[in-house]
Amino acid sequence: MATITRTHTRTHVLITFADPYLRCDQCRGWVPRWHDPDRCGPGCDAPALNDPCEHRAGVTTACPSWGPVDGCRCPAGEHDRPPADVVDGRLL
């Protein structure tokens, strides 16, 4: 799923991850989506970066059992959960 956001100069495309348990490798913040300059089209000189923390770092899942069909299959309390405003990888 792509989200389109506007800045003062152009529209940017943010790609939502399916896995809602992804964390930024640099700051350990939750990363529900990332900016994809290739999808923005010609002229987008903004780098690929995690949203909302804006770091140019990889992401690591907090849930080792997450799958696109069943979601998280870990027992409750085994790992951190995304905040309530992140549902299915989307910021509410």
Side-chain angles (χ1 to χ4, degrees):
M1 173 182 208
T3 303
I4 298 176
T5 60
R6 287 190 227 181
T7 63
H8 295 291
T9 57
R10 71 172 296 113
T11 301
H12 292 283
V13 176
L14 298 172
I15 306 300
T16 301
F17 292 114
D19 183 350
Y21 294 94
L22 295 177
R23 299 195 91 153
C24 176
D25 290 344
Q26 183 172 340
C27 70
R28 301 298 299 150
W30 295 104
V31 181
R33 58 190 175 214
W34 68 289
H35 172 251
D36 183 3
D38 295 333
R39 297 277 308 264
C40 289
C44 180
D45 57 354
L49 47 80
N50 297 333
D51 185 67
C53 67
E54 297 187 355
H55 289 128
R56 294 177 71 187
V59 293
T60 303
T61 188
C63 177
S65 73
W66 187 88
V69 175
D70 298 326
C72 177
R73 296 181 305 273
C74 296
E78 185 169 312
H79 57 75
D80 292 339
R81 305 266 181 208
D85 61 349
V86 177
V87 176
D88 296 329
R90 291 175 282 137
L91 288 174
L92 300 178

